[in-house]
């Protein structure tokens, strides 16, 4: 026979259980509040002036992309893992893999190039000029002050389709130069190489086809490490002979203008007798005339040490570097010092490597002729070969260079406000003219003029001027109690130099016209502070 429970006892037990659950929930709630208020490693919040500068960089680049016929697309921030697998060589270890969600294995995108190739293959596109501005993700060691992050924006422009050799390639190089010069960066160099020439050199040196990509990744480190270190990696870690390494060394140390290096290679019998290298050299000959036509040859250095470790490149490869790109000369010593400090507990941010790395390349790109077809074939689609070439701007790295123009950056305002509407008056019947200020604001907003007013019915004059000063806007529209009743407003310039200027009294109906005229006079030569910053103007 089962035991009969006392109803009162059961009720008490239930009440006790509810209390216990409530206390447990309170403890759980408290524990949830105990979080570290920081962004994840390699990321940062963007706000105020930094956002204004970054948005201006986006706007500058996107206007250039549109000028060259680009149409914009957007793709998911994560892709099927199989789409990204095997496309990035040794850098594949930097891909962020996501948890299994309902049977699909996905990863955060590493760049915008592979998703673009998937998009072209999936939609059977034969020709397109596209640009894409979006975030990408890499589990790299961050150097925050150098713009090397785990979450960052890329601004890409790519041309897909069959065209005459080197025509789209030269236009991508022109876009690279246009983009950097429009952002006030002039002291840069485009390091350029050709994957076919590089692969030919490896064949000449005796590298087996299956080892070409890993040797290419080793050579790609020459911008950070001396030849002796790279040679050791080729022979010891990559199992190549010393003769092979020395033969590679003879070539990868060559650099100069396009014509200078072309002349040297065209006279080299080993190069001319290698089918791959010969094809690459023929394309360089065509490219020389095109970059001259665009007037950009002075920016280009033909550098055989450039390898670009990504597996999908098939032809021309290039990257733009500045004096800030390379690591400090004493990088090895700084790295050891940082490690010792970490052991001693002397540094709070041992995860950041800014002290001993450079900014790296600020723009990069190249030709990838097989990627679209690879996706099409893998999916069982019948597709013609769709060659592609593109260029990618690293926004955070460019931002770190622009931000170094500290004197100009200090003048940037975090708001775009151009006009602050104020109301002055007094007496028992004074209501603050708040609806009237709203009406004037609406007129200016409809005219596309950035306008603000204080969210207070009866606003103190001093507080209104303080708010206007905080926003940094150059102009005030003032509703005086008596003047407004007569159908008039006062328009006044703001700033210390205009403290004793009472402004101009105008009819209310003329407010848009007069404000527009005065704003056109505010910026010297029509150039505002953000444009001065981007262009490096004093």
């Amino acid at each position: 026979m089962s035991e009969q429970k006392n109803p009162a006892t059961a009720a008490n037990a239930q009440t006790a259980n509810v209390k216990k659950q409530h206390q447990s929930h309170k403890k759980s709630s408290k524990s949830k509040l105990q979080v570290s208020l920081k962004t994840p490693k390699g990321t940062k919040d963007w706000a105020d002036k930094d956002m204004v500068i970054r948005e201006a960089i986006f706007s500058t680049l996107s206007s250039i992309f549109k000028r060259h016929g680009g149409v914009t697309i957007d793709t998911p921030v994560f892709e099927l893992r199989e789409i990204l697998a095997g496309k990035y060589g040794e850098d594949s270890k930097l891909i962020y893999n996501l948890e299994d969600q309902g049977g699909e294995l996905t990863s955060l995108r590493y760049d915008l190039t592979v998703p673009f190739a998937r998009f072209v293959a999936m939609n059977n596109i034969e020709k397109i000029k596209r640009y894409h501005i979006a975030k990408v993700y890499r589990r790299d060691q961050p150097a925050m002050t150098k713009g090397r992050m785990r979450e960052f924006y890329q601004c890409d422009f790519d041309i897909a389709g069959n065209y005459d050799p080197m025509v789209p390639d030269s236009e991508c190089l022109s876009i690279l130069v246009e983009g950097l010069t429009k952002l006030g960066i002039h002291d840069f160099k485009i390091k350029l190489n050709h994957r076919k020439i590089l692969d030919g050199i490896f064949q000449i040196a005796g590298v087996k086809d299956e080892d070409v990509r890993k040797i290419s990744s080793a050579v790609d480190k020459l911008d950070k490490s001396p030849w002796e270190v790279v040679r050791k990696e080729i022979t010891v870690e990559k199992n190549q002979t010393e003769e092979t390494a020395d033969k590679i060394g003879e070539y990868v140390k060559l650099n100069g203008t396009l014509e200078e290096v072309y002349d040297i290679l065209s006279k080299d019998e080993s190069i001319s007798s290698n089918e791959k290298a010969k094809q690459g050299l023929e394309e360089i000959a065509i490219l020389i005339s095109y970059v001259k036509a665009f007037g950009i040859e002075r920016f280009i250095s033909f550098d055989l040490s450039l390898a670009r470790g990504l597996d999908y490149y098939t032809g021309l490869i290039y990257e733009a570097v500045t004096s800030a790109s390379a690591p400090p000369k004493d990088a090895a010593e700084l790295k050891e010092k940082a490690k010792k400090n970490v052991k001693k507990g002397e540094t709070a941010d041992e995860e950041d490597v800014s002290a001993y790395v450079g900014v790296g390349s600020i723009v990069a790109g190249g030709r990838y002729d097989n990627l679209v077809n690879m996706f099409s074939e893998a999916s069982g689609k019948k597709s013609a070969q769709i060659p592609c070439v593109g260029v990618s701007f690293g926004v955070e790295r460019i931002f770190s260079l622009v931000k170094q123009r500290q004197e100009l950056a200090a003048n940037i305002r975090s708001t775009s406000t151009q006009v602050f509407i104020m109301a002055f008056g007094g007496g028992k019947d004074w209501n603050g003219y708040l609806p009237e200020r709203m009406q004037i604001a609406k007129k200016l907003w409809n005219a596309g003029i950035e306008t603000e007013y204080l969210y207070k019915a009866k606003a103190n004059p001093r507080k209104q001027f303080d708010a206007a000063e905080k926003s940094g806007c150059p102009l005030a529209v003032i509703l005086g109690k008596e003047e407004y009743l007569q159908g008039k407003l006062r328009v006044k310039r703001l700033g210390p130099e205009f403290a004793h200027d009472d402004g101009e009294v105008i009819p209310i109906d003329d407010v848009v016209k007069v404000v527009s005229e005065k704003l056109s006079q505010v910026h010297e030569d029509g150039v505002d502070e953000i444009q001065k910053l981007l262009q490096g103007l004093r």
Side-chain angles (χ1 to χ4, degrees), residues 284-356:
I284 292 294
I286 298 169
L287 182 70
I288 288 172
S289 64
Y290 293 164
V291 296
K292 282 184 177 178
F294 283 130
I296 59 172
E297 70 274 14
R298 69 184 185 278
F299 293 103
I300 299 173
S301 169
F302 194 172
D303 192 329
L304 294 186
S305 71
L306 180 67
R308 302 284 298 146
L310 303 179
D311 280 0
Y312 52 67
Y313 285 125
T314 58
L316 204 68
I317 50 176
Y318 38 83
E319 62 181 31
V321 296
T322 70
S323 56
S325 296
K329 290 182 179 179
D330 56 347
E333 292 85 348
L334 291 170
K335 188 174 183 178
E336 284 302 313
K337 184 180 178 182
K339 284 182 179 178
K340 288 177 183 177
N341 287 341
V342 170
K343 288 177 183 177
K344 292 177 184 177
E346 291 178 4
T347 178
D349 191 11
E350 67 272 14
E351 299 174 329
D352 192 275
V353 298
S354 297
Y356 50 86

Side-chain angles (χ1 to χ4, degrees), residues 69 90 178:
E90 291 185 359
E178 287 175 49

Side-chain angles (χ1 to χ4, degrees), residues 65 130 155-159 171-173 175-176 318 363-366 368 389-393:
F65 298 155
R130 89 84 171 84
C155 295
D156 283 21
F157 184 94
D158 292 77
I159 302 172
E171 184 161 354
C172 284
L173 288 169
I175 288 169
L176 190 163
Y318 38 83
V363 190
Y368 49 103
V389 63
V391 60
S392 177
F393 293 79

Side-chain angles (χ1 to χ4, degrees), residues 165-267:
M166 295 291 104
V167 176
D169 307 66
S170 58
E171 184 161 354
C172 284
L173 288 169
S174 182
I175 288 169
L176 190 163
V177 173
E178 287 175 49
L180 290 184
T181 52
K182 280 290 183 183
L183 294 171
I185 300 171
H186 300 275
D187 60 337
F188 66 91
K189 176 175 68 175
I190 302 172
K191 293 168 66 175
L192 178 148
N193 200 359
H194 200 297
R195 216 50 183 281
K196 289 179 181 177
I197 294 174
L198 196 60
D199 289 354
I201 288 168
F202 292 152
Q203 286 180 346
I204 292 165
V207 177
K208 295 178 181 177
D209 288 347
E210 60 266 27
D211 293 336
V212 164
R213 285 296 166 255
K214 65 181 183 181
I215 301 304
S216 183
S217 294
V219 170
D220 197 42
K221 296 172 184 173
L222 280 169
D223 62 335
K224 305 179 188 72
S225 306
W227 167 248
E228 293 73 24
V229 174
V230 173
R231 185 183 186 279
K232 184 178 178 181
E233 181 177 338
I234 291 172
T235 54
V236 178
E237 297 178 33
K238 311 294 186 187
N239 300 315
Q240 303 296 311
T241 66
E242 292 190 356
E243 290 78 10
T244 293
D246 290 338
K247 192 67 177 176
I248 292 170
E250 289 178 19
Y251 286 106
V252 298
K253 293 174 186 176
L254 282 174
N255 66 78
T257 67
L258 276 172
E259 289 182 317
E260 287 170 350
V261 178
Y262 172 81
D263 286 343
I264 293 170
L265 294 179
S266 61
K267 295 170 184 173

